[in-house]
Amino acid sequence: MSAVLQRDSVTAIRGSVLTFTGDPSVEDSARSMRYESDAIVAMYGGLIVDFGAAAEVLQRLPPGTKVTAYAESLIMAGFIDAHIHYPQTAIIASPAEHLMDWLDRHTYVAEQEFSDQDHAREAARVFMRECLRAGTTTAAVFCSVHPESVDAFFDEALARNMRMIAGKVLMDRNAPQKLTDTPQRGYDESKELIARWHGRGRLSYAVSPRFAVTSSPEQMELAGSLWHEHDGTFLQSHVAENRHEVDRVKALFPERKGYLDVYDHYGMLGSRAIYGHGIWLDEDELARCHASGTALAHCPTSNMFLGSGVFDLANARKARRPVRVALATDVGGGTHFSMLSTMHDAYKVARLGGRSLSAAHAFYLATRGGAHALCLEDRIGSIATGMEADVIVLDLKSTPLIEHRMRHCKDIDEALFVQMILGDERATRAVYIAGEIGWTRDERVSA
Ligand code: GUN
Ligand code: ZN
């Protein structure tokens, strides 16, 4: 670490640290996972500037640097939620028969209120608070169709210096009139939002056609062009979540080979394209995701809540054509902001499908794996010198039951498994955003 660092400006934290250097579903966890039982992470200028065994890092810190110690905790990279809808925060836990019924009865009603900027701002604040409480430091976020909803969201994210990805939903058919734009209006408004927000602070824009059901061919065409015209932007949408939805898309686009081919046709696949769900994609479609670098966001709490189906993560990650997969909550279809709870349901979904999911793999998906899916693994998702300092501290004994169960853990793999099955947002002890404390459990700092 450079000697010019001032001791007052370095934030140093000490405790057990977990991070990933590779994918534990590909290489064994001894090679892909790094666990240090007593380490220091030093942060300065928004970045991690030192990480290693405490005894070594202590020698290198500027003399007199204050070191905050977190006992019985785990320091790790902030969680990444690769697919979530902030306007749906207030309708989380709303029952329905299935996806389309849920959209009509709850989602489309709630999203209409986001034409009001004050309403949107308040919702964005609640949303950020819940993300921070859950230890989520980056999310790929759908706003509503209204540009006001995007301004409110990015304003709040900028104020917290968070790395966030978001965009205005595009919809020009099969939705209530108050929630529809037109192909040209959606294009123009998105373009203005990109100019205003993309690359500002740590914000990135995502062109966000809701899904093929609610966009005409003309809108899809313009959405694909818009994405290609703006370097570094993301594209996010939904694909193959529900079997009736798949049939509907086939009926709406009969000339296409299948659901994914609709997006392919309009140039919407590739690196930085991320699609929620993908439960019902077939082998050819998964191969196409792999070949194009398209990512899928696995949303287990949502898939179980809406009864959408059982995503086969192991099949999606098949060694000869691994698809980039991230983990996501999909709130408000999803039922929890907590990525620990989401890992818990990912485990159960895997078991329902006759598979398993190791804790190391689940923690990887929620951190470095998510960053890889979003093509951001050189910036976020792991603890290493030069990475952005989005760091969380998990309490390993956050409830009496967990405390009791942890007494019987023999190694880190078992401890991680217990955390993923029993833990939730109560485990989040502290959250550092770009090296600054953004939230602590006992005291709300900026949320
Ligand atoms: N498909 C289209 N829109 C949505 C949405 O808001 N949530 C979910 N889960 N699926 C969708
Ligand atoms: Zn969604």
Side-chain angles (χ1 to χ4, degrees):
M1 185 166 57
S2 149
V4 297
L5 297 183
Q6 303 287 306
R7 70 174 186 213
D8 295 344
S9 47
V10 173
T11 301
I13 59 176
R14 178 173 183 169
S16 304
V17 176
L18 174 82
T19 191
F20 292 93
T21 52
D23 179 345
S25 71
V26 176
E27 320 169 75
D28 69 61
S29 61
R31 288 166 58 104
S32 54
M33 186 170 95
R34 179 173 173 193
Y35 173 69
E36 294 276 351
S37 58
D38 182 19
I40 287 179
V41 179
M43 304 173 265
Y44 175 78
L47 301 178
I48 295 172
V49 291
D50 205 348
F51 162 51
E56 290 165 22
V57 177
L58 278 173
Q59 316 273 326
R60 300 193 289 255
L61 286 175
T65 301
K66 179 170 171 279
V67 179
T68 304
Y70 290 105
E72 302 188 322
S73 297
L74 188 63
I75 296 168
M76 53 183 285
F79 290 131
I80 298 167
D81 183 341
H83 180 110
I84 186 165
H85 302 254
Y86 101 85
Q88 298 172 14
T89 307
I91 52 121
I92 191 170
S94 296
E97 288 298 310
H98 49 70
L99 170 66
M100 298 300 184
D101 178 46
W102 178 80
L103 288 172
D104 288 338
R105 278 171 50 195
H106 305 294
T107 314
Y108 292 157
V109 178
E111 292 191 9
Q112 291 186 32
E113 295 192 67
F114 283 72
S115 58
D116 174 352
Q117 181 127 16
D118 292 337
H119 178 86
R121 185 172 295 279
E122 184 50 31
R125 288 190 180 135
V126 172
F127 176 86
M128 304 284 172
R129 180 194 74 202
E130 290 305 312
C131 285
L132 290 172
R133 286 185 66 237
T136 295
T137 51
T138 288
V141 182
F142 288 78
C143 301
S144 72
V145 74
H146 316 96
E148 295 84 351
S149 74
V150 184
D151 287 332
F153 180 82
F154 275 140
D155 244 350
E156 294 297 319
L158 189 66
R160 290 162 181 75
N161 195 19
M162 292 176 81
R163 178 163 284 290
M164 283 287 182
I165 301 164
K168 170 196 133 65
V169 161
L170 299 166
M171 288 204 273
D172 69 343
R173 64 170 172 179
N174 298 323
Q177 188 258 323
K178 281 190 175 164
L179 284 184
T180 51
D181 50 18
T182 64
Q184 194 59 46
R185 196 169 133 211
Y187 176 91
D188 293 343
E189 288 177 348
S190 302
K191 203 174 174 65
E192 275 176 37
L193 289 164
I194 292 170
R196 185 142 69 244
W197 294 108
H198 183 66
R200 203 161 149 199
R202 301 167 73 210
L203 309 176
S204 298
Y205 194 85
V207 176
S208 307
R210 181 172 217 118
F211 62 159
V213 173
T214 48
S215 286
S216 64
E218 296 72 30
Q219 180 157 72
M220 299 286 269
E221 183 84 46
L222 284 181
S225 305
L226 184 66
W227 182 42
H228 287 286
E229 285 160 14
H230 296 90
D231 276 353
T233 55
F234 291 77
L235 184 136
Q236 60 181 356
S237 190
H238 296 82
V239 71
E241 174 177 5
N242 168 294
R243 272 188 296 188
H244 302 293
E245 170 210 7
V246 175
D247 291 342
R248 185 120 184 247
V249 171
K250 283 183 180 158
L252 286 166
F253 295 90
E255 65 287 5
R256 303 269 62 92
K257 272 190 297 190
Y259 198 161
L260 192 80
D261 189 47
V262 175
Y263 295 125
D264 204 355
H265 178 75
Y266 293 107
M268 291 188 199
L269 303 186
S271 301
R272 286 190 307 280
I274 178 138
Y275 287 86
H277 310 290
I279 298 168
W280 302 101
L281 293 177
D282 65 20
E283 176 55 34
D284 288 349
E285 291 176 310
L286 291 170
R288 184 70 191 117
C289 287
H290 164 76
S292 60
T294 303
L296 296 177
H298 174 29
C299 308
T301 73
S302 169
N303 297 163
M304 294 214 278
F305 182 72
L306 293 173
S308 302
V310 173
F311 179 68
D312 191 344
L313 171 65
N315 185 46
R317 295 289 302 149
K318 202 186 264 179
R320 67 179 164 77
R321 50 123 191 84
V323 175
R324 290 173 189 256
V325 179
L327 201 58
T329 63
D330 193 30
V331 164
T335 51
H336 297 73
F337 276 80
S338 165
M339 291 301 285
L340 290 173
S341 304
T342 304
M343 291 182 219
H344 170 147
D345 276 5
Y347 177 79
K348 287 183 173 167
V349 165
R351 298 303 295 144
L352 279 175
R355 312 278 197 179
S356 195
L357 174 66
S358 72
H361 191 191
F363 273 83
Y364 166 80
L365 287 176
T367 55
R368 189 182 169 98
H372 177 69
L374 296 170
C375 304
L376 288 172
E377 73 270 28
D378 55 340
R379 295 185 182 201
I380 56 170
S382 44
I383 303 286
T385 301
M387 301 295 289
E388 294 177 8
D390 292 339
V391 177
I392 60 173
V393 184
L394 295 182
D395 177 356
L396 295 177
K397 300 186 171 174
S398 58
T399 70
L401 178 62
I402 296 175
E403 199 271 328
H404 182 70
R405 176 64 181 86
M406 287 294 288
R407 284 188 220 161
H408 305 282
C409 282
K410 57 185 181 317
D411 57 26
I412 180 64
D413 288 313
E414 189 175 354
L416 291 176
F417 191 79
V418 168
Q419 296 302 319
M420 92 161 169
I421 298 302
L422 298 178
D424 56 28
E425 57 281 319
R426 287 171 291 181
T428 314
R429 205 170 154 187
V431 181
Y432 291 84
I433 301 290
E436 304 285 334
I437 191 95
W439 190 86
T440 63
R441 193 171 54 187
D442 307 320
E443 180 195 351
R444 266 179 37 172
V445 173
S446 67

